[in-house]
Amino acid sequence: MTTKPRYDAVIVGAGAGGGIVAGVLAEAGKRVLLLERGRPLSFPEVGRDHLRNQRLSQYGNNAGPDGPDHPRVFVSRANGRARVVLPHEGGYSNNAACVGGGTLVYGGQAWRFHPLDFKMASTYGVPAGSSLADWPITYDDLAPYYERAEHEIGVAGDASRMAHLPPYARDYPMPPVTPDTASSRTFGRGAAALGWRTLPVPLTVNSVPYQGRPACLHCQHCVGFACPVDAKNGSQNTLIPRALVTGRCDLVTGAMAERIERDTSGRVVGVTYWNERDERITVGAEVVVAAGGAVETARLLLNSGIGNPDQVGRNLQGHCYSGAHGLFEHEVVDGQGPGVSIATCDFNHGNEGVIGGGLLADEFIPLPIVVWKWHTPPDLPRWGAEAKAWMRDNYRRLMRIQGPVQDIPNPECRVTLDPDVRDRWGIPVARLSGGTHDETVRTAAFLHGKAVEWLKASGAVRVFGGPPGHSLSAGQHQAGTCRMGDDPATSVTDRHCRVHGHDNLYIGDGSVHVTNGGFNPVLTIMALAFRTGEHIAKSW
Amino acid sequence: MLTEAQERTLAAVVDRVVPPDETWPDSGWPGGVEAGVLDYLREQFRRDLADLVPHYRRFLDALDAEAAPATFADLAPEAQDALLRRVEQGDVRATGGWGNDLAFAPQFFRRVVEHVAEGFYTSPAGRRMVRFEAEEAAGVTA
């Protein structure tokens, strides 16, 4: 075991959250070590393999992790059977592992959560079998940090159209990426006929040159891939380079964290990790920030014996997606990337008879093989001339309207340590078990109905695809496993994302989300990371 | 990896799963073979589908046995389609290559179909056919 010099802060995970905390701390004058188990990846390294990417990982991933080094165990909700799964396989709930994490290859939908998303229990009550709770902070507490993320990461949108939110203090720094597409025209007409409000989807994509990088080329490989001209904004091209340029941040990649170290009094003193030469290193720090995503952060805490052992790993949630497909007589896909262009937030709350809701939006430009696998009508033959002709005639006439349903947290949906399976370094792996709460499935059925209504009002000549059933939703939107709260008995961190009982251990990712909104969660992860970084810089 | 006979049968299957347009090559779109699906599958047999190669051999041999006295590749396209429809429905003879596990025929055919579609819809021809790349948008700000 080698011991390295002490840092002010060691951050485990260089994704949306960890990368931002690193930037904020380094700019505040702190000496920072940023550990990332993946590597920095260039556009050619990520590539454009339609079968091995963050959207469709049929045979592998393009932004890590990959191969046999990082197994997990998935327990089927249906039959209770446990099986070892690799990162590209169903049930693994992978998110990218590289510098930037998911933000290198995401679609970049940059939503603020709704004010009521922070007050779910007091708005709706607590359904039986759920752990639904209010956040200890409010929308107003987070609004300045949302704004900071929008400007410092770079979001394109139109604040005047965000009618479901309180007025913004500042508009987005860039106008919408694709204000006018065949899809936005079609669904804009449909929504107008229904009397629904719509808005352009805010994206972490440059619609105009911004922060020294160019505007989007409108290519077809956005979600799931890296950007050829670096017009997609994440931590890898904003806060991480800002951290490095201070000279106070060391970024170590290929670094697999094993445990958070404590001294004999129980105080957190550093992190032990394996470097890419398979050397086991313990590094000391004043402050430790765990930011490996909701699955790996829970695993790291459990492997370290840190945090309320009955709470860490519970309430695992991502998003169950609900929606429907529509076929049109005219073309609704015009090939203008990224593709997602119009949404409604009229059904995030206030829906008769269901808890919460979610946004509904059109889709990213789909890979042809994704349409073939996920979006064909149930009665289409799977082979032969008719199947081929359908794809030829309908690829551009097909649109899916869908959205992330606000998960009603289930304490039985959780990350534990597998008693037997170890990763390449001998570290116990995450075991994922449990599933969606019944109320989530009910809300999903409601949103499915709204998607059907929108498709029909917009002129769809055929609508197909049913609402989702029960599953384990974590994946790229994974959250909830170290929820924040004022009561240490029912939460893992306090309102500053600091682990209860430890004044120098923080969580810097979606694990702290009490609920995950009816929105893509990344902007909330980013906003919290700015807030947490600021709190650490002030406190240490 | 596959015998010459198995390769020939596989090529015939690929071109029934994704057949060439009737107007091809004057107009329209090629079938799976011409789009490069056999090359895709050969690569995958060394890579992600390596474990399935014995099943592919068994499936292709059984298809030929089912087509006896002809081989599958020698049948007319309509007869090939009719045979594959029987395979899809599990309506196959226990004699020949299927052995006692008749469910193997429809189950493995479904997998073959997905593999062929993966090859075709990721190929340049498949992508151009559906108009994935937006010729009009690609140059907007490039």
Side-chain angles (χ1 to χ4, degrees):
Chain A
M1 188 184 294
T2 336
T3 301
K4 283 273 178 95
R6 290 178 67 81
Y7 286 87
D8 292 322
V10 176
I11 300 164
V12 179
I20 289 174
V21 175
V24 171
L25 290 181
E27 290 185 346
K30 305 295 183 189
R31 286 274 305 146
V32 176
L33 175 63
L34 179 56
L35 299 176
E36 169 53 50
R37 67 177 163 150
R39 297 189 301 117
L41 293 176
S42 66
F43 170 72
E45 284 174 301
V46 173
R48 283 184 160 178
D49 187 329
H50 285 202
L51 294 165
R52 296 168 189 84
N53 60 75
Q54 176 97 335
R55 194 62 159 180
L56 177 61
S57 58
Q58 187 74 28
Y59 299 113
N61 289 303
N62 57 357
D66 227 343
D69 291 352
H70 301 274
R72 285 178 184 161
V73 171
F74 175 75
V75 183
S76 160
R77 186 181 184 274
N79 59 24
R81 235 175 279 151
R83 61 186 161 91
V84 175
V85 284
L86 295 181
H88 71 279
E89 293 175 330
Y92 189 93
S93 272
N94 188 46
N95 199 0
C98 58
V99 175
T103 73
L104 182 71
V105 289
Y106 61 179
Q109 291 194 36
W111 298 99
R112 297 181 179 197
F113 282 181
H114 190 285
L116 291 180
D117 294 341
F118 298 87
K119 298 177 176 178
M120 289 293 289
S122 50
T123 305
Y124 296 99
V126 180
S130 92
S131 49
L132 194 63
D134 289 358
W135 290 50
I137 62 172
T138 65
Y139 175 87
D140 291 338
D141 293 325
L142 211 49
Y145 300 98
Y146 276 134
E147 182 185 309
R148 197 168 164 193
E150 284 157 0
H151 287 262
E152 295 190 31
I153 302 297
V155 177
D158 181 352
S160 73
R161 302 275 299 279
M162 310 301 275
H164 59 291
L165 294 176
Y168 283 38
R170 285 168 82 193
D171 199 350
Y172 294 103
M174 295 175 278
V177 178
T178 50
D180 183 41
T181 65
S183 176
S184 72
R185 288 192 295 276
T186 299
F187 291 101
R189 282 193 299 270
L194 292 164
W196 298 0
R197 298 172 300 185
T198 62
L199 52 107
V201 174
L203 295 170
T204 58
V205 171
N206 290 348
S207 56
V208 293
Y210 188 66
Q211 301 195 113
R213 286 177 289 104
C216 170
L217 295 180
H218 304 291
C219 82
Q220 294 74 39
H221 293 86
C222 196
V223 67
F225 299 91
C227 178
V229 296
D230 212 11
K232 179 153 68 182
N233 306 315
S235 65
Q236 76 284 349
N237 52 14
T238 57
L239 272 288
I240 291 174
R242 276 168 52 180
L244 297 177
V245 85
T246 65
R248 288 186 290 273
C249 176
D250 294 331
L251 169 63
V252 175
T253 60
M256 183 63 205
E258 179 177 328
R259 54 186 290 126
I260 296 164
E261 297 293 349
R262 286 177 291 173
D263 66 15
T264 49
S265 73
R267 185 176 170 74
V268 167
V269 293
V271 170
T272 293
Y273 70 96
W274 295 83
N275 71 12
E276 60 186 357
R277 291 177 301 281
D278 282 339
E279 296 163 328
R280 192 166 183 263
I281 293 171
T282 297
V283 60
E286 292 292 323
V287 172
V288 171
V289 181
V295 175
E296 292 298 317
T297 286
R299 176 189 175 206
L300 180 63
L301 262 63
L302 291 169
N303 272 321
S304 309
I306 291 179
N308 180 341
D310 185 51
Q311 283 295 308
V312 174
R314 287 200 188 272
N315 309 312
L316 176 64
Q317 60 198 289
H319 281 118
C320 143
Y321 267 74
S322 188
H325 300 91
L327 272 176
F328 291 80
E329 281 177 338
H330 64 282
E331 295 192 352
V332 286
V333 173
D334 62 12
Q336 253 193 96
V340 61
S341 58
I342 184 168
T344 182
C345 296
D346 281 6
F347 306 106
N348 281 81
H349 290 283
N351 302 309
E352 189 68 34
V354 298
I355 298 178
L359 74 92
L360 288 173
D362 61 350
E363 248 290 27
F364 289 94
I365 302 287
L367 300 175
I369 187 61
V370 164
V371 171
W372 171 258
K373 284 183 180 292
W374 301 345
H375 303 324
T376 52
D379 55 355
L380 182 73
R382 295 303 288 171
W383 59 279
E386 189 185 342
K388 182 188 182 193
W390 190 92
M391 285 291 287
R392 181 193 66 212
D393 296 342
N394 293 299
Y395 172 83
R396 284 196 172 210
R397 296 179 208 280
L398 174 74
M399 184 53 71
R400 180 166 167 79
I401 287 290
Q402 63 173 4
V405 181
Q406 169 127 231
D407 234 68
I408 303 308
N410 172 9
E412 298 308 319
C413 188
R414 65 190 296 198
V415 177
T416 55
L417 296 177
D418 192 84
D420 303 315
V421 180
R422 302 284 187 274
D423 68 10
R424 189 190 138 196
W425 298 271
I427 311 168
V429 307
R431 177 185 176 95
L432 311 184
S433 59
T436 328
H437 192 274
D438 288 344
E439 289 297 336
T440 310
V441 177
R442 275 186 357 102
T443 306
F446 167 84
L447 272 184
H448 164 73
K450 289 295 167 190
V452 168
E453 218 179 313
W454 197 3
L455 286 159
K456 287 183 173 166
S458 304
V461 290
R462 183 174 177 201
V463 173
F464 60 92
H470 287 86
S471 62
L472 186 153
S473 83
Q476 293 159 18
H477 292 191
Q478 57 187 261
T481 55
C482 300
R483 58 163 43 172
M484 61 163 92
D486 292 333
D487 181 356
T490 56
S491 59
V492 176
T493 80
D494 67 15
R495 58 177 60 207
H496 299 293
C497 304
R498 183 166 47 184
V499 175
H500 289 303
H502 295 272
D503 64 355
N504 63 342
L505 174 61
Y506 290 79
I507 306 290
D509 58 34
S511 308
V512 298
H513 294 190
V514 179
T515 46
N516 210 23
F519 298 98
N520 306 53
V522 76
L523 195 76
T524 301
I525 293 170
M526 290 170 162
L528 282 168
F530 277 107
R531 181 175 174 270
T532 301
E534 194 180 280
H535 181 82
I536 296 171
K538 273 187 203 153
S539 311
W540 292 91
Chain B
M1 192 147 307
L2 299 184
T3 66
E4 219 167 287
Q6 288 163 345
E7 283 266 353
R8 205 164 153 261
T9 308
L10 180 63
V13 171
V14 164
D15 259 357
R16 294 328 297 160
V17 173
V18 183
D21 286 6
E22 282 180 17
T23 56
W24 181 258
D26 297 331
S27 64
W29 299 96
V33 169
E34 207 164 330
V37 172
L38 286 175
D39 290 335
Y40 166 81
L41 290 175
R42 284 185 199 113
E43 159 93 20
Q44 280 294 76
F45 289 159
R46 282 190 297 270
R47 200 176 172 182
D48 303 299
L49 303 182
D51 291 349
L52 293 184
V53 169
H55 298 289
Y56 262 90
R57 288 205 197 97
R58 181 181 162 207
F59 179 82
L60 296 167
D61 288 345
L63 261 191
D64 267 349
E66 197 74 32
T71 64
F72 181 81
D74 288 334
L75 297 177
E78 297 73 24
Q80 290 175 336
D81 284 353
L83 201 161
L84 290 178
R85 268 195 294 277
R86 286 205 290 115
V87 168
E88 189 177 30
Q89 288 152 15
D91 178 18
V92 290
R93 293 175 294 174
T95 53
W98 307 112
N100 292 325
D101 178 17
L102 292 186
F104 170 76
Q107 282 168 4
F108 197 72
F109 180 57
R110 273 198 291 278
R111 302 188 73 173
V112 172
V113 163
E114 283 309 302
H115 300 153
V116 172
E118 285 163 8
F120 185 75
Y121 290 112
T122 61
S123 75
R127 287 160 54 154
R128 275 202 301 274
M129 181 187 85
V130 303
R131 292 189 299 135
F132 166 65
E133 267 94 3
E135 37 311 295
E136 67 274 21
V140 168
T141 51

